[in-house]
Amino acid sequence: MDPAAPKPKENMGEPLPRVDARLKVTGQAHYPADLPTANLAYGALATSSIAKGRVTKLHLDDARAVPGLLDIVTYGDMDKVEKPKFGNAGATSIGPLHDRTIFHDGQIIALAVAETFEVAEEAAQLIRADYEEEKPSASFDSPGTKTIPAAGKSPLFKEDVKAGDFDAAYAAAAVRIDARYSTPTQHHNPIELFSTTAFWQGDQLIVHEPSQNVTGWKAELARELKIDPANVRIVSPFIGGAFGSKGPMTPRTAIVAVAAKRLGRPVRCVTSRMQAFGTQTYRAETRHRIRIGAGEDGRITAFAHEGWEVTSRPDPYVVGGTSATGRMYDYGSVLTHVSLVQADRNTPGYMRSPPETPYVYALENAMDEMAVALGMDPVEFRRINEPKAEPIGKKPFSSRSLIQCYEQAANAFGWAKRDPKVGAMRDGDWLIGMGCATAIYPTAVAPCAARVRLTSDGDVRVQCGSHEIGTGVRTVAAQMASERLGVSIDKVTVEMGDSSLPPAPVSGGSISTASVCSAVLKACDAVRAKLSAGATAEGGPLAGSHNEELDLDGGKLAARGGASAKIEDVFKAMQIGAIEEYAEFAPKGATPEAVKKLYAGQSEFHGGDQDEDSVKYAFGAEFVEVRINSYTREIRVPRIVGAFAAGRIMNTRTARSQLMGGMIWGIGQALHEATEVDRRYARYVNRDLQDYLVPVNADIRDLQVILVPEVDHAVNPAGVKGLGELGNVGTAAAVASAVYHATGKRIRDLPIRIDQLIA
Ligand code: MOS
């Protein structure tokens, strides 16, 4: 680090309101489908009504007869386009319109383009297909599915692990549990629908689409269309909810781009919520078997976690959360194994927090079951098994404040007042239950670039091709620049969400704040170093002072002896109007190749469990009170307290919002959310927000977020651990534990609904 640079401020950032708050609440923030575009044509998707087989014939005449229809893009029209690629930037290799094979229900079979949205919709609905239909395999236990080991099938999941002798330790354990858990299919359902608007200016293709990865999509779309990536621009200034669903690009984007080219005018396709269930990614259902062995003293000696996940036929999507669960406690011996179950379904994808939410749900339930089996307080049980190093590679944690989280949350919650006896706590007709669980999320960071410009009047412009998916990253980037350059935040503007900006990694894996802030910090320090050098140079206003003794604050450079110079005077002496610096941040361990890959749209994550020196995770502890009506079994969650430690918190307001949102989602996962699959047709049934249940305001009562101070400079220069995906990990398990405490019923299959508590 430049010695002239100020030390990073420790720990808790200001709770500043979002820099784009006013734009958002006044409707001036343009989401991609709102961006003004002249001469628009509208596209609507036609999708398959079967889940497995082949399209033998398409009937287009009725659709073509609708007045105002302009074009239909279908089989034969995409032949010159490369098939999509499953991987980081691509959601699936299923290339609709490349061949007539149907891999899943709701697969795209055509795009109707018309003068109006209504005509496009009508025409799309009139498109009929004849099929050669086969019987689909819908999910776990369906005849015809294929189960394969997940390890090595996909870059997303490296390996199963084995540490110590699980079998022997488990057999010898005084207390054992062996339990199975499951989580249902879930769909993200961001309020902003999925959309693509594409138009060509000569050879240049411009796409307005909500994206968590504009640089990655630029590269992938250019590959599919076989054009120079320099001729593709993805624009996504604001995103109305993403949660992973707007991370990988889906095949729709290329189809709409081809339609726009054929027509010679802009085409916009906004997918209906119903169609999104089949054309976007989602969280597939998972199953788990967990075995834990422990001594009478409560020390765990054996831990095994087996997981099963559903995926599509062609793409080995896997979340593989055993990486985190296998390292959570001081287990003694560890055994993990993850299997993929291939079914006739669309390819799943990232959904906040992809591996941890289902896997930690299973683990933390099992931990509570074990605490009960041992007759031990569940917090005490976790304290006893707190590790000094992670149990697989025996690497230390870069920092781990889990016990502090438990202490602070337990204290705020009033855990000491809990009567541990099942069903012992009551308020009139309501049974009261209290439970807790651990949250964990790996801390990663990726190469990232940023450009910072400081002008003589003290204005700062930050440019970085990251994405404001609602997390507040634009705000924390502004805070970082304001802090490093000593200017007030209202002097800082931040440009994001455009592939023509300096490239940033995918906004996934909770890496954005750490990666973006590290790059902005580096660019600011370069600006500052230039400014200091100009001030102290011969003839400069602070000639004779030492660069490293200068303090930059309030639009002034101050030297140690009391002399100071305004930025504008330094610029005058330097005979320039602005300083602009471009910085590439590379995490520790990243090669120059990794930085090059950033420009090709490939994000290389560093940290988590992959680091050489230490493993890096953020932690939290969540405590939940449930009330269950003793007659109707109606379930309420009157309060949750979560305490989280995630290194430096850039902005306590946006951090709280992320964690609060995560806990609310956790309640949804515990009690509401599930996509029902019709097993006869491998078809999603409840494809709208009327039937796909999520919590509403009335479901959410008292939520308390405690930010536990933690300093960790090993994670990255900004000292930031991610927390976007931390809050909803563990919540559902804490609810399940509280339900057990109230009723004596251990519900191992999500969501927990009234019918499971009756009888
Ligand atoms: Mo997150 S599911 O990595 O957007």
Side-chain angles (χ1 to χ4, degrees):
M1 200 179 285
D2 174 4
K7 287 220 160 49
K9 288 199 184 137
E10 297 300 326
N11 218 255
M12 293 295 164
E14 295 291 317
L16 290 179
R18 288 160 188 261
V19 293
D20 41 24
R22 185 176 296 272
L23 290 179
K24 286 188 164 181
V25 299
T26 56
Q28 294 172 78
H30 280 145
Y31 294 83
D34 305 333
L35 285 167
T37 315
N39 194 28
L40 259 184
Y42 295 84
L45 299 173
T47 56
S48 75
S49 59
I50 67 160
K52 187 178 189 180
R54 266 184 73 73
V55 174
T56 52
K57 191 172 166 48
L58 272 184
H59 302 275
L60 303 176
D61 291 350
D62 291 351
R64 286 217 171 97
V66 182
L69 187 89
L70 296 169
D71 195 9
I72 295 175
V73 180
T74 185
Y75 299 107
D77 300 326
M78 297 289 290
D79 288 357
K80 293 198 183 66
V81 173
E82 281 290 335
K83 283 190 70 162
K85 200 161 153 186
F86 166 71
N88 264 337
T92 175
S93 66
I94 298 172
L97 311 182
H98 284 84
D99 69 64
R100 292 167 176 252
T101 312
I102 298 294
F103 291 95
H104 62 86
D105 183 65
Q107 184 175 316
I108 299 171
I109 58 173
L111 175 79
V113 187
E115 289 289 352
T116 67
F117 174 75
E118 289 75 12
V119 169
E121 282 287 304
E122 186 181 350
Q125 285 177 26
L126 290 172
I127 293 173
R128 294 265 177 277
D130 295 337
Y131 302 99
E132 221 170 72
E133 193 176 349
E134 291 172 58
K135 202 169 165 39
S137 311
S139 180
F140 292 130
D141 305 329
S142 297
T145 54
K146 191 173 166 202
T147 302
I148 56 170
K153 292 289 181 309
S154 152
L156 303 176
F157 180 67
K158 289 208 175 69
E159 55 184 5
D160 295 323
V161 300
K162 200 173 180 330
D165 186 345
F166 169 81
D167 290 330
Y170 186 69
V175 184
R176 284 188 290 265
I177 62 148
D178 180 350
R180 287 171 185 272
Y181 307 89
S182 75
T183 65
T185 319
Q186 296 171 341
H187 279 78
H188 312 77
N189 281 299
I191 291 305
E192 180 202 26
L193 294 170
F194 300 95
S195 73
T196 307
T197 304
F199 54 101
W200 296 78
Q201 290 174 343
D203 288 344
Q204 299 276 320
L205 169 61
I206 297 154
V207 171
H208 296 168
E209 177 164 347
S211 170
Q212 294 172 250
N213 190 4
V214 288
T215 308
W217 289 24
K218 176 174 99 169
E220 173 60 13
L221 187 57
R223 191 193 65 77
E224 290 179 21
L225 299 176
K226 299 181 192 160
I227 57 178
D228 184 347
N231 287 339
V232 178
R233 182 173 162 212
I234 312 282
V235 182
S236 190
F238 288 93
I239 296 134
F243 319 114
S245 63
K246 292 161 182 166
M249 195 179 79
T250 66
R252 180 189 66 246
T253 309
I255 300 172
V256 176
V258 166
K261 181 105 191 177
R262 282 158 65 99
L263 219 54
R265 65 189 267 197
V267 175
R268 169 172 297 162
C269 172
V270 180
T271 310
S272 72
R273 190 164 292 281
M274 201 172 254
Q275 285 177 333
F277 274 70
T279 56
Q280 292 295 140
T281 56
Y282 63 102
R283 190 190 328 269
E285 53 273 37
T286 68
R287 283 180 173 174
H288 308 264
R289 180 192 186 195
I290 293 203
R291 285 171 290 167
I292 304 178
E296 302 280 6
D297 59 357
R299 290 192 62 98
I300 300 173
T301 53
F303 171 72
H305 192 165
E306 292 159 86
W308 291 264
E309 306 172 15
V310 165
T311 188
S312 66
R313 293 282 180 192
D315 301 323
Y317 181 83
V318 56
V319 297
T322 48
S323 250
T325 61
R327 289 176 175 82
M328 188 82 103
Y329 301 109
D330 193 12
Y331 296 122
S333 59
V334 183
L335 184 69
T336 71
H337 186 63
V338 179
S339 301
L340 284 180
V341 176
Q342 296 172 308
D344 299 304
R345 295 272 298 279
N346 50 327
T347 303
Y350 311 111
M351 183 161 171
R352 181 181 286 204
S353 325
E356 287 73 22
T357 298
Y359 280 73
V360 173
Y361 160 74
L363 165 63
E364 290 300 293
N365 261 297
M367 287 295 285
D368 195 71
E369 297 206 42
M370 192 49 149
V372 170
L374 289 160
M376 194 171 269
D377 176 80
V379 178
E380 185 56 21
F381 179 47
R382 286 167 175 96
R383 189 194 308 275
I384 287 175
N385 291 290
E386 178 68 2
K388 289 210 173 54
E390 54 88 11
I392 297 167
K394 311 284 184 217
K395 284 186 243 173
F397 292 85
S398 66
S399 60
R400 177 175 167 119
S401 310
L402 179 60
I403 297 302
Q404 291 90 319
C405 291
Y406 266 106
E407 279 167 359
Q408 293 194 26
N411 201 23
F413 184 83
W415 183 251
K417 294 197 201 90
R418 172 185 184 256
D419 182 340
K421 209 165 140 266
V422 166
M425 299 182 80
R426 228 186 142 104
D427 178 7
D429 287 344
W430 294 85
L431 302 168
I432 299 174
M434 295 179 182
C436 61
T438 302
I440 182 172
Y441 197 81
T443 298
V445 63
C448 183
R451 188 186 289 120
V452 172
R453 182 184 174 88
L454 172 69
T455 53
S456 60
D457 50 8
D459 286 333
V460 174
R461 186 189 67 194
V462 176
Q463 294 179 312
C464 176
S466 189
H467 321 81
E468 177 53 86
I469 58 174
T471 51
V473 66
R474 200 180 255 124
T475 305
V476 302
Q479 283 179 278
M480 183 50 94
S482 145
E483 174 187 315
R484 298 303 276 196
L485 297 176
V487 302
S488 75
I489 190 132
D490 52 300
K491 301 282 265 178
V492 183
T493 54
V494 180
E495 293 171 23
M496 282 189 177
D498 189 325
S499 64
S500 62
L501 296 170
V506 56
S507 289
S510 298
I511 63 163
S512 282
T513 294
S515 309
V516 169
C517 285
S518 293
V520 170
L521 183 156
K522 199 172 166 188
C524 288
D525 286 354
V527 168
R528 197 193 153 80
K530 234 181 213 171
L531 191 72
S532 300
T536 56
E538 217 180 296
L542 297 173
S545 298
H546 294 293
N547 284 358
E548 60 270 23
E549 290 174 356
L550 298 182
D551 192 26
L552 177 56
D553 204 10
K556 278 193 317 200
L557 270 174
R560 208 168 260 179
S564 72
K566 285 198 200 146
I567 290 179
E568 53 179 296
D569 294 332
V570 181
F571 275 117
K572 251 183 228 153
M574 294 171 81
Q575 296 182 315
I576 54 172
I579 296 176
E580 184 174 289
E581 290 292 320
Y582 186 96
E584 286 170 344
F585 161 70
K588 191 177 138 269
T591 59
E593 283 306 301
V595 179
K596 266 193 218 137
K597 280 201 230 157
L598 168 69
Y599 289 82
Q602 293 164 32
S603 317
E604 192 176 285
F605 285 24
H606 290 261
D609 62 2
Q610 298 300 316
D611 234 273
E612 286 182 6
D613 308 332
S614 61
V615 292
K616 298 171 170 62
Y617 291 96
F619 288 93
E622 298 185 26
F623 287 72
V624 170
E625 177 181 320
V626 300
R627 293 190 169 221
I628 297 171
N629 189 286
S630 56
Y631 297 105
T632 65
R633 300 280 145 172
E634 179 186 344
I635 311 163
R636 294 278 165 205
V637 181
R639 69 198 176 97
I640 309 191
V641 177
F644 304 92
R648 181 179 177 194
I649 304 300
M650 286 298 299
N651 180 321
T652 45
R653 182 194 300 247
T654 54
R656 259 177 228 286
S657 295
Q658 285 296 295
L659 293 163
M660 209 178 267
M663 296 198 295
I664 292 169
W665 197 351
I667 294 175
Q669 285 163 343
L671 304 177
H672 307 118
E673 271 191 73
T675 309
E676 308 294 342
V677 183
D678 185 327
R679 298 183 70 93
R680 295 167 301 175
Y681 306 110
R683 178 179 301 158
Y684 304 128
V685 179
N686 49 337
R687 295 177 288 171
D688 55 55
L689 284 176
Q690 175 171 311
D691 295 314
Y692 186 91
L693 303 182
V694 295
V696 297
N697 277 339
D699 293 307
I700 306 303
R701 305 296 291 274
D702 191 17
L703 288 181
Q704 191 183 346
V705 172
I706 299 168
L707 298 169
V708 176
E710 185 180 68
V711 176
D712 186 338
H713 291 306
V715 285
N716 50 63
V720 168
K721 291 181 172 179
L723 51 70
E725 298 178 82
L726 184 62
N728 72 343
V729 180
T731 317
V735 172
S737 303
V739 166
Y740 172 80
H741 178 231
T743 64
K745 276 188 198 285
R746 182 67 67 179
I747 310 298
R748 300 187 179 90
D749 304 302
L750 289 182
I752 302 166
R753 286 184 177 156
I754 292 173
D755 52 301
Q756 287 176 289
L757 296 176
I758 289 176

